Structures are given as structure tokens and as C-alpha cells.
Amino acid sequence: MAKAARMSVWLEDTDGAVEPRPRASRGRRAEQPSGLDRERITRATVKLLDAEGLAKFSMRRLAGELGVTAMSVYWYVDTKDDLLELALDQAFGELEIPDTDAEELPDWQTQLRELAATYRELLVRHPWISPLVGNFLNVGPKSLLFSRAVQRVIARTGLTLAQQRGAVSSVFQFVYGYGTIEGHFRQRCAEVGLTQDEYFHKAMAAFSVPEEMADDFSHAERMMEAVEEGGDVDAMRDMDFQVALDLQIAGIETLVSQRR
């Protein structure tokens, strides 16, 4: 019977230890590899994932980057999944977390925008994060710092506890989806050797709406005219993100005003 996957590397290593744990089950008696630690391996994993993506990542490929054997890496992590989960939390450490402990805080709307923006930037910068967020519990120490900040900001909105859960899901699942699509689009453009604007204009020039759908898509075509007439993809995407976030915040404010 295959061994069941454990829930999280963080639930097993509850103390966040970075020291290696040799696996007696393999019956190895080799000496601990020198020059390695879990932190170095995790940093190398993030770098490799950024360069080559999740699909091409392997323990053998990582070991080659580190100049060691794959078995040496297993002194510090039990499985590839454990390592990916460690890399995910390492990336979350890049998030800029607003101060939620100060005596005088900006309004919750400002801090919510800051958290949404930094999360979007992280997803765009590391496209490999998106599938991992959906696959792991994401309860590492760096991720929890971000979650705590989100909860503290949402708690200041005036929503009930049940509404706060929904607000977190509404805002940050929206950001997750937006950042995921944006990050993958940028990655696709890089793979085909085009800028985002070149890719967009080339696609628009090649695509034609089926005649029977022309009336239905005429409004969509008018919405895209600004980009086609000298705008750029980044500006369009930033504007769309801000409008969508405005709608999220307006929805929260509406719920709060209804309670009052």
C-alpha cells in the first residue's frame, strides 16, 4: 500500500527546525553532506523554480544546481512536496506586510489595498506559486504573518465574524485569480519571445469574431480600443485591477452600512 501523503511539512516540524533529519528507513550510514542546510536548499529551489518553472523541477535537477547528489538533499527534506512547501513559504517572506500594530493606523481600506497589491505582485513574480497555494495548507511561518495581517485589517471593517470570512475569500481569491492569470500571461510571452504588448497586438490582429457573433462582441471590441490605440497591456491591467478592487471594497462598505 502506498504511503499516504502527510498534510504539511509544517505540521510535522512544528518547531520550524532547519537541522537535517537522516532517514533511518533508508538504512544509510553515509556522513552528513557538508556545505548544505535546509535554508540554502530552499533558496536554490526558489531560484530554480523561477528560472525553469514547476513542470521541469526535480530533485535531481536541484541537486545538480547545488553541486551535490540527490541523496544529499534528502538529508534535509523527506520528499519533493516538502521542499516545494518550504519554497512556497520562502516566497511568502517577500511580501511587504503593513504595520497592523501601530497606535495610529491608516484606514482599513488603505491597508487592504496594500495587502492586495503585494499579493498580486508575488503571484506575478513567481508564477509557480499559484498551483502550490491550492495544493498545500500554506501554514508556514512567513505565510502566517501575511494571514495575520489580512485578518487584522478585515477585523477593522465592522463586519461580523461570519462576514469577515467571506470578505477575506472575496478579496484574496479575486487577487489570486487575477495575479495567476497575469503571471501566466507574462510567462507565456517570455516563452514565445515577445513583449506583452507585441503578443497582445499580434493576437488581436489575427483574431476575428465569427460573423454570427459580431453584434455580441461589438461592446467588447470598444472596451479594447484604448489598448489598441496606443495604450499598453500593463496600464490596462493595472486599471482593471484597481477598478475590481474598488468594487470589492465598496461591497464591504455596503455590508457594514446595512448592519448600521
Side-chain angles (χ1 to χ4, degrees):
M1 180 180 296
K3 182 180 178 182
R6 66 179 174 205
M7 295 179 66
S8 171
V9 66
W10 300 109
L11 297 182
E12 178 154 317
D13 294 337
T14 54
D15 61 353
V18 296
E19 294 301 318
R21 302 184 319 281
R23 298 198 294 175
S25 61
R26 285 188 178 271
R28 291 182 285 109
R29 296 184 178 276
E31 292 185 2
Q32 174 182 330
S34 62
L36 283 184
D37 57 46
R38 184 180 281 185
E39 182 67 22
R40 181 187 169 198
I41 293 170
T42 303
R43 288 197 307 268
T45 299
V46 171
K47 183 178 179 181
L48 191 58
L49 287 166
D50 284 343
E52 300 185 356
L54 186 59
K56 294 182 179 179
F57 180 80
S58 69
M59 299 295 271
R60 187 178 299 277
R61 181 75 183 86
L62 173 65
E65 287 293 305
L66 290 166
V68 299
T69 65
M71 296 307 297
S72 297
V73 178
Y74 283 112
W75 274 85
Y76 298 86
V77 291
D78 287 335
T79 67
K80 176 182 172 181
D81 276 357
D82 286 356
L83 186 51
L84 292 175
E85 197 174 1
L86 292 169
L88 176 61
D89 196 62
Q90 180 84 4
F92 264 77
E94 300 173 12
L95 288 168
E96 295 182 13
I97 311 241
D99 186 359
T100 57
D101 294 316
E103 292 184 5
E104 294 185 10
L105 292 170
D107 57 66
W108 65 263
Q109 293 92 334
T110 297
Q111 290 202 312
L112 187 59
R113 290 181 188 280
E114 292 174 356
L115 287 165
T118 192
Y119 188 36
R120 173 194 171 193
E121 292 167 0
L122 183 74
L123 290 162
V124 172
R125 189 162 58 246
H126 304 297
W128 52 269
I129 282 180
S130 298
L132 298 187
V133 168
N135 194 42
F136 297 120
L137 289 177
N138 209 15
V139 292
K142 297 179 176 67
S143 176
L144 290 180
L145 289 175
F146 179 69
S147 296
R148 181 182 66 175
V150 168
Q151 291 174 29
R152 286 182 172 181
V153 171
I154 293 293
R156 291 165 47 210
T157 61
L159 294 171
T160 66
L161 288 174
Q163 290 173 331
Q164 287 174 33
R165 292 198 310 271
V168 171
S169 296
S170 178
V171 174
F172 289 94
Q173 288 186 25
F174 146 67
V175 178
Y176 171 84
Y178 200 96
T180 294
I181 292 172
E182 181 179 358
H184 290 183
F185 179 76
R186 289 175 179 269
Q187 189 175 49
R188 177 60 177 166
C189 292
E191 288 171 353
V192 299
L194 297 173
T195 67
Q196 292 184 88
D197 294 327
E198 289 170 343
Y199 190 102
F200 175 82
H201 289 294
K202 189 171 183 177
M204 289 297 100
F207 175 75
S208 60
V209 177
E211 185 176 348
E212 65 274 15
M213 296 183 180
D215 290 340
D216 298 313
F217 279 86
S218 60
H219 182 67
E221 290 175 348
R222 289 197 300 274
M223 286 193 296
M224 301 306 294
E225 286 176 358
V227 181
E228 295 179 356
E229 293 177 359
D232 61 71
V233 172
D234 273 337
M236 177 188 68
R237 193 178 281 120
D238 288 343
M239 181 178 67
D240 291 349
F241 182 80
Q242 294 306 321
V243 171
L245 192 54
D246 284 344
L247 292 171
Q248 298 283 329
I249 290 174
I252 293 173
E253 292 171 335
T254 299
L255 279 180
V256 173
S257 66
Q258 288 175 349
R259 287 191 62 222
R260 293 172 179 168

